[in-house]
Amino acid sequence: MAAKPQLSCELEMTILSRVATKIGRYLELDKVLETTLEEVLPAIGVKSGCIYLLDENTGIMTMKAHVGLTENFVSAKKTISAGDGCAGTAVVTKEMFAPTKGEHRFVCKEAKKFLGMDCLAAVPIIAQKKVL
């Protein structure tokens, strides 16, 4: 599995503080998720991304917020199964997933088609030892 990029503790705390400050203003989950993306993506140097929420009963992940993704990607990947692609792998492993070159052809085969980019990385959101 690919190595995880390391953020400094100070940067992590700064990001968390900014997100917490902004989402504290909202009661709507969609707005909280959108705000989270708007703060986290620039902090890690990424221009596009999405947040899926997992239905533990079905194992289906539904995209609830996105930034900078193509309509084709959003339409085709609105729902995915846990274990599918980068996001599904991150959910199953409960760890950030960024495929190595060897894993790339198996995991990221549709990224070029939908996004015009070679690959993706995924980070699960975990609260109380559960993936959200």
Side-chain angles (χ1 to χ4, degrees), residues 66-87:
H66 62 86
V67 171
L69 299 175
T70 65
E71 288 182 34
N72 281 347
F73 183 88
V74 173
S75 177
K77 299 296 182 178
K78 187 73 177 164
T79 60
I80 61 172
S81 296
D84 288 348
C86 293

Side-chain angles (χ1 to χ4, degrees), residues 46-65:
V46 177
K47 294 181 181 176
S48 59
C50 65
I51 295 176
Y52 285 98
L53 294 183
L54 173 66
D55 181 326
E56 289 184 2
N57 294 323
T58 64
I60 299 296
M61 301 164 53
T62 303
M63 188 184 305
K64 294 295 187 176

Side-chain angles (χ1 to χ4, degrees), residues 44 55 96 110 130:
I44 60 173
D55 181 326
M96 178 182 161
E110 294 181 325
K130 288 187 171 187

